[in-house]
């Protein structure tokens, strides 16, 4: 198993902006493409945003055709506190939903625009 | 009687008057504008800073009241004419000087986080570490929304003040981007939604948790819950929509004048409670 230490990768305990998420996405993608199972270790982080999670774990979920079960089979996420674990799970679930829409030929934005009330 | 308010309070009427003032500034062809204001709040200064940054030819702003000019100077307001700057009047309370963030949101992240930790957090009641991290993150999201989604060229202006005698703190964030209503209408593909309904939609729980590409929400749910418990309040003005969220009300209404971009004002009561994050969405104080 390959381990990605997020803080070492990003160089900062503040995991908020989208392009930091993309850097993590790239690192996970490279390991998955090499056929490795990946441990993503968040130990030592200070701040974590849904933007960061969506651009990293969420986008991996979409691009590698995973559902939450397949995600957990190939990626171990460790070092998150309890509340942020929920956010990470939500990011994967939402990405899985988006992926399934795309596979059905449904534009997610069109779907959300017609299924969200105001 | 002047069209302008002398004292700006936290009300939709005052926000409307500020929008009118902003419009007058933008269309002012002189190089100097003198206001009748006798009392400005941080949200006024943040919005004025953005408005004047967007003025085509450059415009200075001052008040006929020297105390207001002194306050503006203490806030670091850079559009005062040199002749009116005076430091004789010392205003009570702690001023959070104008801070301006611009450019790529990722590059600004450290600057924004440092500013929030150093200037905003000390003005907030005691927070448990996990809740503090999330509140800091929510403040970052306010700034980041302005930088990432505002689509304006003049970044985000922030200003605040701690009012010790009144026991509260106010912080304001202003950007000159496309505004919340435009983003929400584009996202919902529904062009007829009134501006105030768009803002109400944007702050609703769950409307910012989808993939980034599909989201037009603001992601301020936790901060709003904290403010409710704290009996503080949140005001958002964008386009002609206005939303006020407090422990007693969640009111959204149309304004009589249109705001450029988005203006967010937050009031936090400085009490002796220790606020903790009990579980995912429930917060308690002891």
């Amino acid at each position: 198993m390959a381990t990605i230490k997020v803080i070492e990768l990003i160089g900062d305990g503040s995991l908020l902006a989208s392009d930091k998420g993309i850097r993590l996405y790239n690192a996970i993608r490279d390991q998955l493409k090499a056929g490795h199972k990946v441990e993503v270790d968040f130990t030592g982080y200070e701040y974590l945003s849904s933007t960061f999670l969506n651009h990293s774990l969420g986008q991996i979920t979409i691009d590698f055709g995973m559902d939450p079960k397949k995600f957990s089979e190939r990626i171990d996420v460790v070092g998150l506190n309890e509340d942020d674990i929920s956010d990470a799970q939500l990011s994967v679930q939402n990405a899985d939903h988006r992926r399934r829409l795309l596979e059905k030929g449904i534009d997610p934005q069109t779907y959300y625009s017609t299924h969200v009330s105001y | 009687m002047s069209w302008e308010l002398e004292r700006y309070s936290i009300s939709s009427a005052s926000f409307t008057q500020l929008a009118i003032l902003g419009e007058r500034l933008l269309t002012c062809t002189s190089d100097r504008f003198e206001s009748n204001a006798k009392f400005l709040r941080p949200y006024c200064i943040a919005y004025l800073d953005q408005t004047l940054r967007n003025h085509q030819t450059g415009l200075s702003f001052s008040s006929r009241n020297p105390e207001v000019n002194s306050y503006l100077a203490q806030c670091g307001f850079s559009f005062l004419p040199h002749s009116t700057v005076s430091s004789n009047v010392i205003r009570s309370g702690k001023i959070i000087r104008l801070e301006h963030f611009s450019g790529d949101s990722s590059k600004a992240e450290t600057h924004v986080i440092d500013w929030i930790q150093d200037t905003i957090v000390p003005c907030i009641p005691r927070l448990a570490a996990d809740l503090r991290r999330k509140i800091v993150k929510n403040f970052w999201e306010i700034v980041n929304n302005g930088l990432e989604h505002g689509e304006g060229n003049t970044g985000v202006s922030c200003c605040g003040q701690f009012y010790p005698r009144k026991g509260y703190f106010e912080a304001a964030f202003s950007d000159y981007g496309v505004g919340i209503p435009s983003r929400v209408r584009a996202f919902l593909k529904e062009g007829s939604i009134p501006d105030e309904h768009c803002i109400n939609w944007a702050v609703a729980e769950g409307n910012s948790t989808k993939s980034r590409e599909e989201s037009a929400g603001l992601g301020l749910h936790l901060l709003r819950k904290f403010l409710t418990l704290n009996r503080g309040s949140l005001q958002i003005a964008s386009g002609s929509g206005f939303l006020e969220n407090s422990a007693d009300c969640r009111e959204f209404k149309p304004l009589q004048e249109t705001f450029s971009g988005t203006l967010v004002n937050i009031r936090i009561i400085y009490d002796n409670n220790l606020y903790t994050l009990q579980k995912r969405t429930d917060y308690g104080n002891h």
Side-chain angles (χ1 to χ4, degrees):
Chain A
M1 178 185 289
T3 297
I4 298 171
K5 292 192 177 297
V6 179
I7 303 308
E8 287 180 14
L9 175 74
I10 304 299
D12 188 354
S14 176
L15 310 174
L16 297 170
S18 56
D19 78 330
K20 289 183 177 177
I22 292 169
R23 282 157 65 190
L24 176 58
Y25 166 87
N26 290 337
I28 299 172
R29 178 200 60 199
D30 292 347
Q31 294 299 333
L32 291 176
K33 280 188 173 177
H36 298 141
K37 189 175 176 183
V38 185
E39 180 182 77
V40 182
D41 186 355
F42 283 86
T43 300
Y45 75 102
E46 179 80 7
Y47 303 111
L48 179 65
S49 72
S50 56
T51 300
F52 179 91
L53 290 168
N54 289 337
H55 282 83
S56 54
L57 306 186
Q59 199 61 43
I60 285 288
T61 304
I62 292 170
D63 291 352
F64 284 81
M66 297 173 175
D67 58 24
K69 183 171 180 292
K70 286 179 183 169
F71 181 94
S72 62
E73 286 170 359
R74 298 189 68 183
I75 300 172
D76 273 347
V77 175
V78 300
L80 288 177
N81 67 41
E82 189 178 346
D83 210 56
D84 288 330
I85 289 172
S86 300
D87 286 346
Q89 289 170 338
L90 183 63
S91 176
V92 171
Q93 288 165 5
N94 285 335
D96 175 43
H97 187 233
R98 184 172 184 235
R99 179 186 59 78
R100 283 187 279 117
L101 290 173
L102 290 167
E103 285 177 356
K104 291 176 185 173
I106 301 170
D107 173 27
Q109 187 164 349
T110 301
Y111 174 85
Y112 290 124
S113 70
T114 54
H115 288 73
V116 178
S117 59
Y118 66 90
Chain B
M1 175 62 190
S2 167
W3 54 271
E4 190 192 355
L5 281 181
E6 291 187 342
R7 306 180 77 81
Y8 286 82
S9 64
I10 302 293
S11 68
S12 59
S14 286
F15 275 72
T16 295
Q17 287 297 313
L18 181 62
I20 293 171
L21 174 59
E23 190 58 31
R24 286 181 65 103
L25 291 175
L26 284 178
T27 56
C28 179
T29 54
S30 169
D31 62 355
R32 180 171 177 166
F33 187 97
E34 195 166 48
S35 158
N36 292 320
K38 291 181 177 173
F39 185 80
L40 295 174
R41 289 187 174 276
Y43 77 86
C44 306
I45 295 168
Y47 188 68
L48 289 173
D49 187 66
Q50 276 293 303
T51 302
L52 292 164
R53 284 175 186 273
N54 278 276
H55 194 271
Q56 295 295 318
T57 57
L59 176 67
S60 65
F61 177 93
S62 61
S63 168
R64 294 184 175 88
N65 186 316
E67 287 191 20
V68 170
N69 293 333
S70 174
Y71 179 55
L72 288 166
Q74 289 179 69
C75 287
F77 186 74
S78 60
F79 296 96
L80 276 171
H82 294 298
S83 58
T84 61
V85 176
S86 164
S87 58
N88 293 334
V89 181
I90 305 299
R91 190 185 174 96
S92 67
K94 181 181 177 185
I95 292 171
I96 306 294
R97 286 169 60 84
L98 261 170
E99 191 74 28
H100 180 248
F101 302 106
S102 62
D104 179 73
S105 67
S106 178
K107 289 176 182 162
E109 183 183 303
T110 302
H111 181 195
V112 174
I113 288 292
D114 287 349
W115 178 78
I116 294 168
Q117 291 182 142
D118 295 344
T119 61
I120 299 292
V121 171
C123 297
I124 300 177
R126 288 182 303 150
L127 304 172
D130 51 359
L131 179 57
R132 179 183 57 79
R133 280 197 295 271
K134 289 187 177 293
I135 293 291
V136 169
K137 186 179 80 172
N138 268 190
F139 275 104
W140 171 81
E141 282 171 335
I142 293 171
V143 177
N144 191 58
N145 281 331
L147 293 176
E148 256 191 7
H149 302 300
E151 298 175 23
N153 297 319
T154 51
V156 180
S157 298
C158 315
C159 191
Q161 179 155 354
F162 180 53
Y163 300 85
R165 281 189 222 161
K166 295 183 177 178
Y168 59 72
F169 162 71
E170 285 179 5
F173 306 82
S174 177
D175 72 69
Y176 239 64
V178 296
I180 296 169
S182 295
R183 293 207 325 264
V184 170
R185 279 194 285 268
F187 170 71
L188 296 175
K189 296 184 178 174
E190 175 54 73
S192 62
I193 310 172
D195 287 5
E196 64 275 18
H197 287 263
C198 291
I199 299 174
N200 190 47
W201 182 91
V203 300
E205 184 177 15
N207 286 347
S208 60
T209 57
K210 299 175 184 66
S211 295
R212 191 68 179 168
E213 292 75 15
E214 286 98 38
S215 174
L218 297 178
L220 304 180
H221 177 65
L222 185 141
L223 180 60
R224 285 175 48 232
K225 280 216 161 192
F226 166 73
L227 291 172
T228 299
L229 193 64
N230 171 257
R231 302 197 69 77
S233 63
L234 165 74
Q235 293 81 28
I236 299 175
S238 189
S240 61
F242 177 78
L243 178 137
E244 172 150 24
N245 195 130
S246 68
D248 302 321
C249 76
R250 177 169 166 183
E251 182 180 39
F252 50 102
K253 60 170 73 169
L255 297 173
Q256 300 305 310
E257 184 64 40
T258 300
F259 259 90
S260 297
T262 300
L263 177 60
V264 177
N265 185 68
I266 293 166
R267 176 183 289 180
I268 295 175
I269 308 299
Y270 198 89
D271 56 29
N272 292 319
N273 294 326
L274 168 63
Y275 291 84
T276 62
L277 188 63
Q278 290 184 332
K279 54 184 181 180
R280 183 165 173 77
T281 55
D282 295 334
Y283 313 98
N285 59 335
H286 305 287

